[in-house]
């Protein structure tokens, strides 16, 4: 039976991965942690503790006290905010991961931690980006993601810690709005389309990026953690993707449900430069071959679901 500790549980992924793990493994076996106060559903759905992963003693203490055997380490700063606050990004993304790996080594836990398309850079092949390829990112976020991938490989090889991970693309979801990321526009656009019938995009037309709907992102995390280790050639940082599109393609899909929707552009040079350095589309065949990764949602199916869910949710709120 697993005893899972989650860091960054109040973030975009954590707020949906936590209930999914509680459903799979039992609410009492999954402790959510964050530095932020949790929403009621996280607090009431199972154990919750305020824990700062940059504090090595706090992480070690909670792992020991909860008798965790698995850590899902999600606490991290996203790309745009990391560019704005590189010192803090290093502290949260690198010190936080190091502390988690040390606790995992001491208390014999396995670790799932996500990497990102941000681990690639301008010299990486942009189309069908291979699993193993050039990784010379030019953002602080990317630097921490590549270093994190390597650190996880190191802890596996050197200390036998069962580390696993995926390189997530932009994740689109309707529970918690992401902030500080480059792919956030692909979430904001749905909220604004429903509320305002218009959206101003901070990335320019033609900017292709890999994306994934949250239910697939949750499935990827659980499937890679459950994968048969004997079949894994890679361990950390599997490319996983579900779709690739530029902003104008989401707008076309949204217009099928909201015909009066319009989009214009006010490009943010920082986020545009980050997006331009990332792949247009990744090759995720290693994940498909080694642990049977399969996505369910493409752009039309996701758009229908996002519009249905958010129409209901935003109506309730107003
Ligand atoms: C970001 O935009 O920073 C993240 C990511 C792709 O890692 N969503």
């Amino acid at each position: 039976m697993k005893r899972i500790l989650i860091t960054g549980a109040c973030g975009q992924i954590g707020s949906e991965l936590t209930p999914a793990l509680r459903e799979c493994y039992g609410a009492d076996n999954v402790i959510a942690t964050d530095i932020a106060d949790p929403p009621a559903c996280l607090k009431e759905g199972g154990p919750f503790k305020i824990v700062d992963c940059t504090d090595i003693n706090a992480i070690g203490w909670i792992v020991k006290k909860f008798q965790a055997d698995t850590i899902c380490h999600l606490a991290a700063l996203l790309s745009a905010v990391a560019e704005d606050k590189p010192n803090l990004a290093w502290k949260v993304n690198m010190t936080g991961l190091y502390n988690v790996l040390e606790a995992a080594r001491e208390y014999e836990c396995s670790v799932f931690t996500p990497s990102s398309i941000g681990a690639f850079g301008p010299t990486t092949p942009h189309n069908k980006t291979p699993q193993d390829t050039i990784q010379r990112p030019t953002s602080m976020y990317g630097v921490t993601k590549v270093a994190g991938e390597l650190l996880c490989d190191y802890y596996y090889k050197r200390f036998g810690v069962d580390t696993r991970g995926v390189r997530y693309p932009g994740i689109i979801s309707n529970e918690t709005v992401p902030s500080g990321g480059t792919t956030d526009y692909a979430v904001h656009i749905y909220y604004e389309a429903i509320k305002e019938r218009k959206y101003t995009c901070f990335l320019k037309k033609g900017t292709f990026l890999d994306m994934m709907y949250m239910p697939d992102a949750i499935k990827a995390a659980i499937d890679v953690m459950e994968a048969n280790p004997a079949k894994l050639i890679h361990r950390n940082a599997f490319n996983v993707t579900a779709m690739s599109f530029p902003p104008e393609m989401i707008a076309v899909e949204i217009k099928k449900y909201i015909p009066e929707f319009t989009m214009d552009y006010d490009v943010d040079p920082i986020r545009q430069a980050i997006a331009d350095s990332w792949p247009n589309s990744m090759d995720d065949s290693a994940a498909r071959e080694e642990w049977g990764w399969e996505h369910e949602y493409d752009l039309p199916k996701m758009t229908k679901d996002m519009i249905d869910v958010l129409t209901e949710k935003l109506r309730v709120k107003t």
Side-chain angles (χ1 to χ4, degrees):
M1 193 184 18
K2 281 195 195 297
R3 298 272 295 167
I4 304 173
L5 181 136
I6 305 176
T7 69
C10 299
Q12 187 196 14
I13 300 176
S15 62
E16 298 200 43
L17 185 59
T18 305
L21 291 173
R22 286 179 171 159
E23 180 75 29
C24 281
Y25 302 105
D28 291 343
N29 293 320
V30 179
I31 186 166
T33 72
D34 205 299
I35 52 167
D37 281 335
C41 54
L42 273 195
K43 205 171 171 175
E44 285 154 18
F48 179 89
K49 193 90 195 150
I50 296 278
V51 175
D52 178 356
C53 67
T54 65
D55 177 347
I56 195 161
N57 296 323
I59 276 287
W61 174 82
I62 190 73
V63 168
K64 185 174 176 203
K65 184 171 165 61
F66 186 67
Q67 296 182 308
D69 58 25
T70 305
I71 307 173
C72 285
H73 178 50
L74 306 176
L77 258 57
L78 294 183
S79 53
V81 72
E83 222 33 42
D84 194 36
K85 299 179 177 138
N87 290 347
L88 184 64
W90 183 265
K91 186 173 171 204
V92 176
N93 295 12
M94 291 314 306
T95 307
L97 177 60
Y98 173 79
N99 291 347
V100 161
L101 289 167
E102 272 299 292
R105 179 171 75 86
E106 186 169 354
Y107 297 107
E108 299 183 356
C109 300
S110 53
V111 176
F112 167 81
T113 194
S115 184
S116 155
I117 50 174
F120 296 117
T123 50
T124 301
H126 271 37
N127 295 315
K128 282 283 172 206
T129 302
Q131 173 67 40
D132 302 306
T133 187
I134 301 163
Q135 291 184 264
R136 306 289 293 173
T138 45
S139 67
M140 179 49 115
Y141 180 66
V143 169
T144 65
K145 287 294 164 186
V146 178
E149 292 180 6
L150 294 173
L151 199 59
C152 288
D153 282 349
Y154 177 79
Y155 268 72
Y156 169 63
K157 291 200 186 98
R158 178 79 170 76
F159 302 118
V161 176
D162 183 359
T163 53
R164 303 193 187 186
V166 294
R167 289 185 186 125
Y168 277 134
I171 296 175
I172 295 157
S173 64
N174 46 50
E175 180 64 37
T176 302
V177 183
S179 71
T182 301
T183 57
D184 294 2
Y185 89 84
V187 178
H188 300 163
I189 191 172
Y190 287 104
Y191 280 82
E192 294 306 304
I194 291 165
K195 287 192 297 198
E196 307 292 339
R197 296 338 209 196
K198 61 182 170 47
Y199 178 65
T200 300
C201 186
F202 59 73
L203 294 184
K204 69 182 181 212
K205 203 172 170 179
T207 309
F208 275 83
L209 287 169
D210 281 295
M211 300 279 177
M212 183 180 288
Y213 196 30
M214 185 62 91
D216 281 331
I218 300 297
K219 189 159 88 73
I222 295 176
D223 286 357
V224 78
M225 283 192 277
E226 288 290 351
N228 177 353
K231 299 225 166 108
L232 298 182
I233 298 163
H234 302 86
R235 291 203 129 251
N236 296 295
F238 280 97
N239 287 0
V240 286
T241 186
M243 53 191 116
S244 165
F245 53 74
E248 65 273 21
M249 269 170 73
I250 314 198
V252 167
E253 282 303 318
I254 290 175
K255 268 171 154 319
K256 292 181 185 165
Y257 299 90
I258 307 172
E260 65 275 33
F261 175 67
T262 57
M263 181 168 73
D264 61 7
Y265 298 87
D266 181 12
V267 174
D268 168 10
I270 306 241
R271 284 182 285 194
Q272 186 64 47
I274 293 173
D276 288 343
S277 75
W278 288 356
N280 297 335
S281 66
M282 285 188 290
D283 174 357
D284 60 3
S285 50
R288 291 178 191 268
E289 281 154 26
E290 291 176 41
W291 48 276
W293 158 244
E294 262 182 310
H295 68 277
E296 186 188 332
Y297 287 88
D298 58 11
L299 178 57
K301 190 170 176 184
M302 173 182 77
T303 299
K304 181 179 181 327
D305 202 58
M306 281 294 281
I307 292 199
D308 286 350
V309 174
L310 284 180
T311 303
E312 190 56 35
K313 182 173 164 176
L314 297 175
R315 192 173 44 222
V316 170
K317 286 221 162 139
T318 51

